[in-house]
Coordinates of all heavy atoms in Angstrom, one line a residue:
M45 N 0.9 -1.2 0.0 CA 0.0 0.0 0.1 C 0.9 1.2 0.0 O 1.8 1.3 0.8 CB -0.9 0.0 1.3 CG -1.7 1.3 1.3 SD -2.8 1.2 2.8 CE -4.1 0.1 2.2
A46 N 0.7 2.1 -1.0 CA 1.4 3.3 -1.0 C 1.1 4.2 0.2 O -0.1 4.3 0.7 CB 1.2 4.0 -2.3
V47 N 2.1 5.0 0.5 CA 1.9 6.0 1.6 C 2.1 7.4 1.0 O 2.7 7.5 0.0 CB 2.9 5.8 2.8 CG1 2.5 4.6 3.5 CG2 4.3 5.8 2.4
H48 N 1.6 8.4 1.7 CA 1.8 9.8 1.4 C 2.5 10.6 2.5 O 2.2 10.4 3.5 CB 0.4 10.4 1.0 CG -0.1 9.9 -0.3 ND1 0.1 10.3 -1.6 CD2 -1.0 8.8 -0.5 CE1 -0.5 9.6 -2.4 NE2 -1.2 8.7 -1.8
C49 N 3.4 11.5 2.0 CA 4.0 12.3 2.9 C 3.1 13.2 3.7 O 2.2 13.8 3.1 CB 5.1 13.1 2.3 SG 5.9 14.4 3.3
T50 N 3.2 13.2 5.0 CA 2.3 14.0 5.9 C 2.7 15.5 5.8 O 1.8 16.3 6.1 CB 2.4 13.6 7.3 OG1 3.8 13.6 7.8 CG2 1.8 12.2 7.5
Q51 N 3.9 15.8 5.2 CA 4.2 17.2 5.2 C 3.9 17.8 3.8 O 3.3 18.9 3.8 CB 5.8 17.4 5.3 CG 6.2 16.9 6.7 CD 5.8 17.7 7.8 OE1 5.6 19.0 7.7 NE2 5.3 17.1 8.9
C52 N 4.3 17.1 2.7 CA 4.0 17.7 1.4 C 3.1 16.9 0.5 O 2.6 17.3 -0.6 CB 5.4 17.8 0.7 SG 6.2 16.3 0.2
G53 N 2.7 15.7 1.0 CA 1.6 14.9 0.3 C 2.2 14.1 -0.9 O 1.4 13.5 -1.7
T54 N 3.5 14.1 -1.1 CA 4.1 13.3 -2.1 C 3.9 11.8 -1.9 O 4.0 11.3 -0.8 CB 5.6 13.5 -2.2 OG1 5.9 14.9 -2.3 CG2 6.2 12.8 -3.3
G55 N 3.4 11.3 -3.0 CA 3.3 9.8 -3.0 C 4.6 9.0 -2.8 O 5.5 9.3 -3.5
L56 N 4.6 8.1 -2.0 CA 5.9 7.4 -1.7 C 5.7 6.0 -1.8 O 4.6 5.5 -1.6 CB 6.4 7.7 -0.2 CG 6.8 9.3 0.0 CD1 6.9 9.5 1.5 CD2 7.9 9.7 -0.8
P57 N 6.7 5.2 -2.2 CA 6.7 3.8 -2.2 C 6.4 3.1 -0.9 O 6.8 3.7 0.2 CB 8.0 3.3 -2.7 CG 9.0 4.4 -2.5 CD 8.1 5.6 -2.5
A58 N 5.7 2.0 -0.8 CA 5.5 1.3 0.4 C 6.7 1.0 1.2 O 7.7 0.6 0.6 CB 4.6 0.0 0.1
G59 N 6.7 1.3 2.5 CA 7.9 1.0 3.3 C 8.9 2.2 3.3 O 9.9 2.1 4.0
A60 N 8.6 3.3 2.8 CA 9.5 4.4 2.7 C 9.4 5.0 4.2 O 8.4 5.2 4.8 CB 9.0 5.5 1.7
R61 N 10.7 5.4 4.7 CA 10.7 5.9 6.0 C 11.0 7.4 5.9 O 10.6 8.1 6.9 CB 12.0 5.3 6.7 CG 11.9 3.9 6.8 CD 10.8 3.3 7.6 NE 10.7 3.8 8.9 CZ 9.9 3.5 9.8 NH1 8.9 2.7 9.6 NH2 9.9 4.0 11.1
F62 N 11.4 8.0 4.9 CA 11.6 9.4 4.7 C 11.0 9.8 3.3 O 11.0 9.1 2.4 CB 13.2 9.8 4.7 CG 13.7 9.4 6.1 CD1 14.5 8.2 6.1 CD2 13.6 10.3 7.1 CE1 14.9 7.9 7.4 CE2 14.2 9.9 8.4 CZ 14.9 8.6 8.5
C63 N 10.6 11.1 3.3 CA 10.0 11.6 2.0 C 11.2 11.9 1.2 O 12.1 12.6 1.6 CB 9.2 12.8 2.3 SG 8.6 13.7 0.9
S64 N 11.1 11.6 -0.1 CA 12.2 11.8 -1.1 C 12.1 13.3 -1.6 O 13.1 13.8 -2.1 CB 12.1 10.9 -2.2 OG 10.8 11.0 -2.8
T65 N 11.0 14.1 -1.3 CA 10.8 15.4 -1.8 C 11.3 16.4 -0.7 O 12.1 17.2 -0.9 CB 9.4 15.7 -2.1 OG1 9.1 14.7 -3.2 CG2 9.3 17.1 -2.6
C66 N 10.7 16.3 0.5 CA 11.0 17.3 1.6 C 11.8 16.7 2.7 O 12.2 17.4 3.6 CB 9.7 17.9 2.1 SG 8.8 16.6 3.1
G67 N 12.0 15.3 2.7 CA 12.9 14.7 3.8 C 12.2 14.5 5.0 O 12.9 14.1 6.1
A68 N 10.9 14.8 5.1 CA 10.2 14.5 6.4 C 10.2 13.0 6.7 O 10.1 12.1 5.8 CB 8.8 15.1 6.3
T69 N 10.2 12.7 8.0 CA 10.1 11.4 8.5 C 8.6 10.9 8.4 O 7.7 11.7 8.7 CB 10.4 11.2 10.0 OG1 11.8 11.8 10.2 CG2 10.5 9.8 10.4
I70 N 8.4 9.8 7.8 CA 7.1 9.3 7.6 C 6.7 8.4 8.9 O 7.3 7.5 9.3 CB 7.1 8.2 6.5 CG1 7.6 8.9 5.2 CG2 5.6 7.8 6.3 CD1 6.9 10.1 4.8
P71 N 5.7 9.0 9.6 CA 5.3 8.3 10.9 C 4.7 7.0 10.7 O 4.2 6.8 9.6 CB 4.3 9.3 11.5 CG 3.7 10.1 10.3 CD 4.9 10.1 9.3
A72 N 4.8 6.1 11.6 CA 4.3 4.8 11.5 C 2.7 4.8 11.3 O 2.2 3.9 10.8 CB 4.7 4.0 12.7
A73 N 2.1 5.9 11.7 CA 0.7 6.0 11.6 C 0.2 6.1 10.2 O -0.9 5.6 9.8 CB 0.1 7.2 12.4
A74 N 1.2 6.4 9.3 CA 0.9 6.5 7.8 C 0.7 5.1 7.3 O 0.1 5.0 6.2 CB 2.0 7.2 7.1
Y75 N 1.2 4.1 8.0 CA 1.0 2.7 7.5 C -0.2 2.1 8.1 O -0.2 0.8 8.2 CB 2.3 2.0 7.9 CG 3.5 2.5 7.2 CD1 4.4 3.3 8.0 CD2 3.8 2.4 5.9 CE1 5.6 3.8 7.5 CE2 4.9 2.9 5.3 CZ 5.8 3.6 6.1 OH 7.0 4.2 5.6
S76 N -1.0 2.9 8.7 CA -2.1 2.3 9.5 C -2.9 1.3 8.7 O -3.7 1.6 7.8 CB -3.1 3.4 9.9 OG -3.6 4.0 8.9
T77 N -2.6 0.0 9.0 CA -3.4 -1.1 8.3 C -4.2 -1.7 9.4 O -4.9 -2.7 9.1 CB -2.4 -2.1 7.7 OG1 -1.4 -2.5 8.6 CG2 -1.7 -1.5 6.5
G78 N -4.1 -1.2 10.6 CA -4.8 -1.8 11.7 C -6.4 -1.5 11.6 O -7.1 -2.3 12.2
R79 N -6.7 -0.5 10.9 CA -8.1 -0.1 10.8 C -8.8 -1.1 10.0 O -8.5 -1.5 8.9 CB -8.3 1.2 10.1 CG -9.7 1.7 10.1 CD -9.7 3.2 9.7 NE -11.0 3.7 9.7 CZ -11.9 3.7 8.8 NH1 -11.6 3.1 7.7 NH2 -13.2 4.2 9.0
P80 N -9.9 -1.8 10.5 CA -10.6 -2.8 9.8 C -11.2 -2.3 8.5 O -11.7 -1.1 8.5 CB -11.7 -3.2 10.8 CG -11.3 -2.7 12.2 CD -10.5 -1.5 11.9
Q81 N -11.1 -3.1 7.5 CA -11.6 -2.7 6.1 C -13.1 -2.9 6.3 O -13.6 -3.8 6.9 CB -11.1 -3.7 5.1 CG -10.6 -2.9 3.9 CD -10.0 -3.8 2.8 OE1 -9.7 -4.9 3.2 NE2 -10.0 -3.3 1.6
L82 N -13.8 -2.0 5.5 CA -15.2 -2.0 5.5 C -15.6 -3.1 4.4 O -15.5 -2.8 3.1 CB -15.8 -0.7 5.1 CG -17.3 -0.6 5.0 CD1 -17.9 -1.1 6.4 CD2 -17.7 0.8 4.8
V83 N -15.9 -4.3 4.9 CA -16.3 -5.3 3.9 C -17.6 -6.0 4.5 O -17.9 -5.8 5.7 CB -15.3 -6.5 3.8 CG1 -14.1 -5.8 3.1 CG2 -14.9 -7.0 5.2
R84 N -18.2 -6.8 3.7 CA -19.4 -7.6 4.1 C -18.9 -9.0 4.3 O -18.8 -9.8 3.4 CB -20.5 -7.5 3.2 CG -21.1 -6.1 3.0 CD -22.2 -6.0 2.0 NE -21.9 -6.3 0.6 CZ -22.2 -7.3 -0.1 NH1 -22.8 -8.4 0.4 NH2 -21.9 -7.3 -1.3
P85 N -18.8 -9.4 5.7 CA -18.3 -10.7 5.9 C -19.4 -11.8 5.4 O -20.5 -11.5 5.5 CB -18.2 -10.8 7.4 CG -18.2 -9.4 7.9 CD -18.9 -8.6 6.8
I86 N -18.8 -13.0 5.1 CA -19.6 -14.1 4.6 C -20.3 -14.6 5.8 O -21.5 -14.9 5.8 CB -18.7 -15.1 3.9 CG1 -17.9 -14.4 2.8 CG2 -19.6 -16.2 3.4 CD1 -18.7 -14.0 1.6
A87 N -19.4 -15.0 6.9 CA -19.9 -15.7 8.0 C -20.7 -14.8 8.9 O -20.5 -13.6 9.2 CB -18.7 -16.3 8.8
G88 N -21.8 -15.4 9.4 CA -22.7 -14.7 10.4 C -23.7 -13.7 9.8 O -24.3 -13.1 10.6
R89 N -23.7 -13.5 8.5 CA -24.5 -12.5 8.0 C -25.9 -12.9 8.0 O -26.2 -14.1 8.0 CB -24.1 -12.1 6.6 CG -24.3 -13.4 5.6 CD -24.1 -13.1 4.2 NE -22.9 -12.2 4.0 CZ -22.6 -11.9 2.6 NH1 -23.3 -12.4 1.6 NH2 -21.5 -11.2 2.4
R90 N -26.9 -11.9 8.1 CA -28.3 -12.3 8.1 C -28.9 -12.0 6.7 O -29.6 -12.9 6.3 CB -29.0 -11.3 9.2 CG -28.9 -11.7 10.5 CD -29.5 -13.0 10.9 NE -29.3 -13.4 12.3 CZ -28.2 -14.1 12.8 NH1 -27.3 -14.4 11.9 NH2 -28.1 -14.3 14.0
I91 N -28.5 -10.9 6.1 CA -29.1 -10.6 4.8 C -27.9 -10.5 3.8 O -27.7 -11.3 2.9 CB -29.9 -9.4 4.8 CG1 -31.1 -9.5 5.8 CG2 -30.6 -9.2 3.4 CD1 -32.0 -8.3 5.9
A92 N -27.2 -9.4 4.0 CA -26.1 -9.2 3.0 C -24.8 -8.9 3.8 O -23.8 -8.6 3.2 CB -26.4 -7.9 2.1
G93 N -24.8 -9.1 5.1 CA -23.6 -8.8 5.9 C -23.2 -7.3 6.1 O -22.2 -6.9 6.6
V94 N -24.2 -6.4 5.7 CA -24.0 -4.9 5.9 C -23.7 -4.5 7.3 O -22.9 -3.8 7.7 CB -25.1 -4.1 5.2 CG1 -24.9 -2.6 5.5 CG2 -25.1 -4.3 3.7
C95 N -24.7 -5.1 8.2 CA -24.6 -4.7 9.6 C -23.3 -5.2 10.3 O -22.7 -4.5 11.0 CB -25.9 -5.3 10.3 SG -27.4 -4.6 9.9
I96 N -22.9 -6.5 9.9 CA -21.8 -6.8 10.5 C -20.5 -6.1 10.0 O -19.6 -5.8 10.9 CB -21.4 -8.4 10.1 CG1 -22.6 -9.3 10.7 CG2 -20.2 -8.9 10.6 CD1 -22.6 -10.7 10.2
G97 N -20.4 -5.8 8.6 CA -19.4 -5.0 8.1 C -19.3 -3.7 8.8 O -18.1 -3.4 9.1
L98 N -20.4 -3.0 9.0 CA -20.4 -1.7 9.7 C -19.9 -1.8 11.0 O -19.0 -1.0 11.5 CB -21.7 -1.0 9.6 CG -22.1 -0.6 8.1 CD1 -23.6 -0.1 8.3 CD2 -21.2 0.5 7.6
S99 N -20.4 -2.8 11.8 CA -20.1 -2.9 13.2 C -18.6 -3.2 13.4 O -17.9 -2.8 14.2 CB -20.8 -4.0 13.9 OG -20.6 -5.2 13.4
Q100 N -18.0 -4.0 12.4 CA -16.6 -4.4 12.6 C -15.6 -3.3 12.1 O -14.7 -3.1 12.7 CB -16.3 -5.7 11.6 CG -16.9 -6.9 12.2 CD -16.6 -8.2 11.4 OE1 -16.0 -8.0 10.2 NE2 -16.9 -9.3 11.9
A101 N -16.1 -2.6 11.1 CA -15.2 -1.5 10.5 C -15.2 -0.3 11.6 O -14.1 0.3 11.7 CB -15.7 -1.1 9.2
Y102 N -16.3 0.0 12.2 CA -16.3 1.2 13.1 C -16.4 0.8 14.5 O -16.4 1.7 15.4 CB -17.6 1.9 12.6 CG -17.5 2.5 11.1 CD1 -18.2 1.9 10.2 CD2 -16.5 3.5 10.8 CE1 -18.2 2.4 8.9 CE2 -16.4 3.9 9.5 CZ -17.2 3.4 8.6 OH -17.2 3.8 7.1
G103 N -16.3 -0.5 14.8 CA -16.4 -0.8 16.2 C -17.7 -0.6 16.9 O -17.8 -0.5 18.1
W104 N -18.7 -0.6 16.1 CA -20.1 -0.5 16.7 C -20.6 -1.8 17.2 O -20.1 -2.9 16.7 CB -21.1 0.1 15.6 CG -20.7 1.4 15.1 CD1 -20.0 2.3 15.7 CD2 -21.1 2.0 13.9 NE1 -19.8 3.4 15.0 CE2 -20.6 3.3 13.8 CE3 -22.0 1.5 12.8 CZ2 -20.8 4.1 12.7 CZ3 -22.2 2.4 11.8 CH2 -21.6 3.6 11.7
D105 N -21.5 -1.8 18.1 CA -22.1 -3.1 18.6 C -23.0 -3.6 17.6 O -23.9 -2.9 17.1 CB -22.8 -2.8 19.9 CG -23.3 -4.1 20.6 OD1 -22.5 -4.8 21.1 OD2 -24.6 -4.2 20.6
L106 N -22.8 -4.9 17.3 CA -23.5 -5.5 16.2 C -25.0 -5.6 16.4 O -25.8 -5.3 15.7 CB -23.0 -7.0 15.9 CG -23.7 -7.7 14.9 CD1 -23.8 -7.1 13.5 CD2 -23.2 -9.1 14.8
A107 N -25.3 -5.9 17.8 CA -26.7 -5.9 18.1 C -27.4 -4.6 17.9 O -28.5 -4.5 17.5 CB -26.9 -6.4 19.5
L108 N -26.7 -3.6 18.4 CA -27.2 -2.2 18.3 C -27.4 -1.7 16.7 O -28.4 -1.2 16.5 CB -26.2 -1.3 18.9 CG -26.6 0.3 18.9 CD1 -27.9 0.5 19.8 CD2 -25.6 1.2 19.4
V109 N -26.4 -2.1 15.9 CA -26.5 -1.8 14.5 C -27.7 -2.5 13.9 O -28.5 -1.9 13.2 CB -25.2 -2.2 13.8 CG1 -25.4 -2.0 12.2 CG2 -24.0 -1.4 14.3
R110 N -27.9 -3.7 14.3 CA -29.1 -4.4 13.7 C -30.4 -3.9 14.3 O -31.3 -3.8 13.5 CB -29.0 -6.0 14.1 CG -28.0 -6.7 13.2 CD -28.1 -8.2 13.4 NE -27.4 -8.8 12.3 CZ -26.5 -9.9 12.5 NH1 -26.4 -10.3 13.6 NH2 -25.9 -10.4 11.4
V111 N -30.5 -3.5 15.5 CA -31.6 -2.9 16.1 C -32.0 -1.7 15.3 O -33.1 -1.4 14.9 CB -31.5 -2.7 17.6 CG1 -32.7 -1.8 18.1 CG2 -31.6 -4.1 18.3
L112 N -31.0 -0.7 15.2 CA -31.1 0.4 14.6 C -31.5 0.3 13.1 O -32.4 1.0 12.6 CB -29.9 1.2 14.7 CG -29.5 1.9 16.1 CD1 -28.3 2.6 16.0 CD2 -30.7 2.8 16.5
A113 N -31.0 -0.7 12.4 CA -31.4 -1.0 11.0 C -32.8 -1.4 10.9 O -33.5 -1.0 10.0 CB -30.5 -2.1 10.5
V114 N -33.3 -2.3 11.9 CA -34.6 -2.7 11.8 C -35.5 -1.6 12.2 O -36.6 -1.4 11.5 CB -34.8 -4.0 12.7 CG1 -36.3 -4.3 12.8 CG2 -34.0 -5.1 12.2
V115 N -35.3 -0.9 13.2 CA -36.1 0.2 13.6 C -36.2 1.2 12.5 O -37.2 1.7 12.1 CB -35.7 0.8 14.9 CG1 -36.4 2.1 15.2 CG2 -35.8 -0.2 16.1
G116 N -35.0 1.5 12.0 CA -35.0 2.5 10.9 C -35.7 2.1 9.7 O -36.3 2.9 9.0
L117 N -35.7 0.8 9.4 CA -36.4 0.3 8.2 C -37.8 0.7 8.3 O -38.4 0.9 7.3 CB -36.2 -1.3 8.3 CG -36.1 -2.0 6.9 CD1 -35.0 -1.4 6.0 CD2 -35.8 -3.4 7.1
F118 N -38.4 0.6 9.6 CA -39.9 0.8 9.6 C -40.2 2.3 9.9 O -41.3 2.6 9.6 CB -40.5 -0.1 10.7 CG -40.5 -1.5 10.4 CD1 -39.5 -2.4 11.0 CD2 -41.4 -2.0 9.6 CE1 -39.4 -3.7 10.6 CE2 -41.4 -3.4 9.2 CZ -40.4 -4.3 9.8
C119 N -39.3 3.0 10.3 CA -39.5 4.3 10.8 C -39.1 5.5 9.9 O -39.3 6.7 10.1 CB -39.0 4.6 12.2 SG -39.6 3.5 13.4
S120 N -38.1 5.1 8.9 CA -37.5 6.2 8.2 C -38.2 6.3 6.8 O -37.7 7.2 6.0 CB -36.0 5.8 8.0 OG -35.9 4.7 7.1
G121 N -39.2 5.7 6.6 CA -39.9 5.8 5.3 C -39.1 5.3 4.1 O -39.2 6.0 3.1
G122 N -38.2 4.3 4.3 CA -37.5 3.9 3.3 C -36.1 4.3 3.1 O -35.4 3.8 2.3
L123 N -35.7 5.3 3.9 CA -34.4 5.8 3.8 C -33.4 4.8 4.2 O -32.3 4.6 3.5 CB -34.3 7.1 4.7 CG -34.7 8.5 4.1 CD1 -34.5 9.5 5.0 CD2 -33.9 8.7 2.8
V124 N -33.6 4.1 5.3 CA -32.7 3.1 5.7 C -32.6 2.0 4.7 O -31.5 1.4 4.5 CB -33.0 2.6 7.1 CG1 -32.3 1.3 7.4 CG2 -32.8 3.6 8.1
F125 N -33.8 1.7 4.1 CA -33.8 0.6 3.1 C -32.9 0.9 1.9 O -32.1 0.1 1.4 CB -35.2 0.3 2.7 CG -35.4 -0.8 1.7 CD1 -35.1 -2.1 2.0 CD2 -35.7 -0.5 0.4 CE1 -35.3 -3.2 1.2 CE2 -35.8 -1.6 -0.5 CZ -35.6 -2.9 -0.2
I126 N -33.0 2.2 1.6 CA -32.2 2.7 0.5 C -30.7 2.6 0.8 O -29.9 2.2 0.0 CB -32.6 4.1 0.0 CG1 -34.0 4.0 -0.6 CG2 -31.7 4.7 -1.1 CD1 -34.7 5.3 -0.9
A127 N -30.4 3.1 2.0 CA -29.1 3.2 2.4 C -28.5 1.7 2.6 O -27.3 1.5 2.3 CB -29.0 3.9 3.9
Y128 N -29.3 0.8 3.0 CA -28.9 -0.5 3.2 C -28.5 -1.1 1.8 O -27.6 -1.8 1.6 CB -30.0 -1.4 3.8 CG -29.6 -2.8 4.1 CD1 -29.1 -3.1 5.4 CD2 -29.5 -3.8 3.2 CE1 -28.7 -4.4 5.7 CE2 -29.2 -5.1 3.5 CZ -28.7 -5.4 4.8 OH -28.3 -6.6 5.1
L129 N -29.5 -0.8 0.8 CA -29.2 -1.3 -0.5 C -27.9 -0.7 -1.1 O -27.1 -1.4 -1.8 CB -30.4 -0.9 -1.4 CG -31.6 -1.8 -1.3 CD1 -32.6 -1.4 -2.3 CD2 -31.3 -3.3 -1.5
A130 N -27.6 0.6 -0.7 CA -26.4 1.3 -1.2 C -25.2 0.6 -0.6 O -24.2 0.5 -1.3 CB -26.5 2.8 -0.8
C131 N -25.2 0.2 0.7 CA -24.1 -0.4 1.3 C -24.0 -1.8 0.7 O -22.8 -2.2 0.5 CB -24.4 -0.5 2.8 SG -24.3 1.0 3.7
W132 N -25.0 -2.4 0.4 CA -25.0 -3.8 -0.1 C -24.2 -3.8 -1.5 O -23.4 -4.6 -1.8 CB -26.5 -4.3 -0.4 CG -26.5 -5.8 -0.8 CD1 -25.5 -6.5 -1.2 CD2 -27.7 -6.6 -0.6 NE1 -26.0 -7.8 -1.3 CE2 -27.4 -7.9 -1.0 CE3 -29.0 -6.4 -0.1 CZ2 -28.3 -8.9 -1.0 CZ3 -29.9 -7.3 -0.1 CH2 -29.5 -8.6 -0.5
I133 N -24.6 -2.8 -2.2 CA -23.8 -2.6 -3.6 C -22.4 -2.0 -3.4 O -21.5 -2.5 -4.1 CB -24.7 -1.7 -4.5 CG1 -26.0 -2.3 -4.7 CG2 -23.9 -1.4 -5.8 CD1 -27.1 -1.4 -5.5
G134 N -22.3 -1.0 -2.5 CA -21.1 -0.3 -2.4 C -20.0 -1.0 -1.7 O -18.8 -0.8 -2.0
I135 N -20.3 -1.8 -0.7 CA -19.3 -2.4 0.2 C -18.8 -3.8 -0.5 O -19.8 -4.6 -0.8 CB -19.8 -2.7 1.6 CG1 -20.2 -1.3 2.2 CG2 -18.8 -3.3 2.4 CD1 -20.9 -1.4 3.6
P136 N -17.6 -3.9 -0.7 CA -17.2 -5.2 -1.3 C -17.4 -6.4 -0.4 O -17.4 -6.1 0.9 CB -15.7 -4.9 -1.6 CG -15.3 -3.9 -0.6 CD -16.6 -3.0 -0.4
E137 N -17.6 -7.5 -1.0 CA -17.8 -8.7 -0.1 C -16.5 -9.1 0.3 O -15.4 -8.9 -0.3 CB -18.4 -9.9 -1.0 CG -19.0 -10.9 -0.3 CD -20.0 -11.6 -1.1 OE1 -19.7 -12.4 -2.0 OE2 -21.2 -11.4 -0.9
E138 N -16.4 -9.7 1.5 CA -15.2 -10.1 2.1 C -14.6 -11.1 1.3 O -15.2 -12.1 0.9 CB -15.5 -10.7 3.5 CG -14.3 -11.3 4.3 CD -14.7 -11.9 5.5 OE1 -15.6 -12.8 5.6 OE2 -14.0 -11.7 6.5
P139 N -13.3 -11.0 1.0 CA -12.6 -12.0 0.1 C -12.5 -13.3 0.8 O -12.2 -13.4 1.9 CB -11.2 -11.3 -0.1 CG -11.0 -10.4 1.0 CD -12.3 -9.8 1.4
V140 N -12.8 -14.3 0.0 CA -12.8 -15.6 0.5 C -11.3 -16.1 0.8 O -10.5 -15.8 -0.1 CB -13.4 -16.7 -0.5 CG1 -13.3 -18.1 0.0 CG2 -14.8 -16.3 -0.7
A141 N -11.0 -16.5 2.0 CA -9.6 -16.8 2.3 C -9.0 -17.8 1.4 O -7.9 -17.5 0.8 CB -9.6 -17.3 3.8
A142 N -9.5 -18.9 1.2 CA -9.0 -20.0 0.3 C -10.1 -20.8 -0.2 O -11.2 -21.0 0.4 CB -8.0 -20.9 1.2
P143 N -9.8 -21.1 -1.5 CA -10.9 -21.9 -2.1 C -11.2 -23.3 -1.5 O -12.2 -23.9 -1.6 CB -10.4 -22.2 -3.6 CG -8.9 -21.7 -3.5 CD -8.8 -20.8 -2.3
D144 N -10.1 -23.8 -0.8 CA -10.4 -25.0 -0.2 C -11.0 -25.0 1.2 O -10.9 -26.0 2.0 CB -9.0 -25.9 -0.2 CG -7.9 -25.2 0.7 OD1 -8.3 -24.0 1.0 OD2 -6.8 -25.7 0.9
A145 N -11.4 -23.8 1.5 CA -12.2 -23.6 2.8 C -13.4 -24.4 2.8 O -13.9 -24.9 3.9 CB -12.5 -22.2 3.0
Y146 N -14.0 -24.7 1.7 CA -15.2 -25.5 1.6 C -14.8 -27.0 1.3 O -13.9 -27.3 0.4 CB -16.1 -25.1 0.5 CG -16.5 -23.6 0.6 CD1 -15.9 -22.6 -0.1 CD2 -17.6 -23.3 1.4 CE1 -16.3 -21.3 0.1 CE2 -18.0 -22.0 1.6 CZ -17.4 -21.0 1.0 OH -17.8 -19.8 1.1
P147 N -15.3 -27.9 2.1 CA -14.9 -29.3 1.9 C -15.4 -29.8 0.6 O -16.5 -29.4 0.1 CB -15.7 -30.0 3.0 CG -16.8 -29.1 3.4 CD -16.3 -27.7 3.2
P148 N -14.8 -30.7 -0.1 CA -15.2 -31.2 -1.4 C -16.5 -32.0 -1.2 O -16.7 -32.6 -0.1 CB -14.0 -32.1 -1.8 CG -13.3 -32.4 -0.5 CD -13.5 -31.2 0.4
P149 N -17.2 -32.0 -2.2 CA -18.5 -32.8 -2.0 C -18.3 -34.3 -1.9 O -17.3 -34.9 -2.6 CB -19.1 -32.6 -3.4 CG -18.1 -32.2 -4.4 CD -17.1 -31.5 -3.5
T150 N -18.9 -34.8 -0.9 CA -18.6 -36.3 -0.6 C -19.5 -37.1 -1.5 O -20.6 -37.0 -1.7 CB -19.0 -36.5 0.8 OG1 -20.3 -36.1 1.1 CG2 -18.1 -35.9 1.8
T151 N -18.8 -38.1 -2.1 CA -19.5 -39.0 -2.9 C -19.9 -40.3 -2.2 O -19.1 -40.9 -1.4 CB -18.6 -39.5 -4.1 OG1 -17.3 -39.9 -3.5 CG2 -18.3 -38.4 -5.0
P152 N -21.2 -40.6 -2.2 CA -21.7 -41.8 -1.4 C -21.0 -43.1 -2.0 O -20.9 -43.3 -3.1 CB -23.1 -41.8 -1.6 CG -23.3 -41.0 -2.9 CD -22.2 -40.0 -2.9
T153 N -20.5 -43.9 -1.0 CA -19.8 -45.1 -1.4 C -20.8 -46.2 -1.6 O -20.5 -47.2 -2.3 CB -18.8 -45.6 -0.3 OG1 -19.5 -45.5 0.9 CG2 -17.6 -44.5 -0.2
A154 N -22.0 -46.1 -1.2 CA -23.0 -47.1 -1.3 C -23.6 -46.9 -2.7 O -23.8 -47.8 -3.5 CB -24.1 -47.0 -0.3
Ligands
ZN215 ZN1 7.4 15.4 1.8

């Protein structure tokens, strides 16, 4: 992931410790990969995984997100429904870790 100088904004190659333009030290915070990515997890989803994705990415309580989503669904006159659809379309699905995560189909021996 490319980083940008916090002083002058120059795009720097990944792993750069100093800016090649102004010489500023690149703080470790510029490499912040600790922030959870906004994705729609496959596991545990109810409909499209939007609620789980939001709660994981922003640290919200999953139960609270779901309650607000359901309440909003009935009380917002469709706004939440539209927002949900927008998230469904806009948030990428969580990448599948490995294709062999799923067990191969078992063939009956009898
Ligand atoms: Zn710079």
Side-chain angles (χ1 to χ4, degrees):
M45 174 179 283
V47 294
H48 290 273
C49 174
T50 53
Q51 298 296 320
C52 68
T54 302
L56 301 168
R61 304 296 305 180
F62 300 96
C63 175
S64 56
T65 300
C66 70
T69 306
I70 308 303
Y75 301 103
S76 60
T77 52
R79 189 168 182 272
Q81 221 181 343
L82 184 55
V83 293
R84 293 185 289 109
I86 308 287
R89 59 168 55 177
R90 284 295 180 271
I91 302 174
V94 170
C95 289
I96 298 179
L98 289 175
S99 69
Q100 286 183 355
Y102 298 109
W104 298 340
D105 187 67
L106 176 57
L108 182 66
V109 172
R110 281 193 167 134
V111 167
L112 288 177
V114 171
V115 171
L117 212 54
F118 290 104
C119 301
S120 67
L123 275 177
V124 167
F125 182 69
I126 293 171
Y128 190 94
L129 286 181
C131 287
W132 193 338
I133 296 168
I135 300 174
E137 199 157 74
E138 181 184 47
V140 178
D144 59 357
Y146 299 97
T150 53
T151 51
T153 50

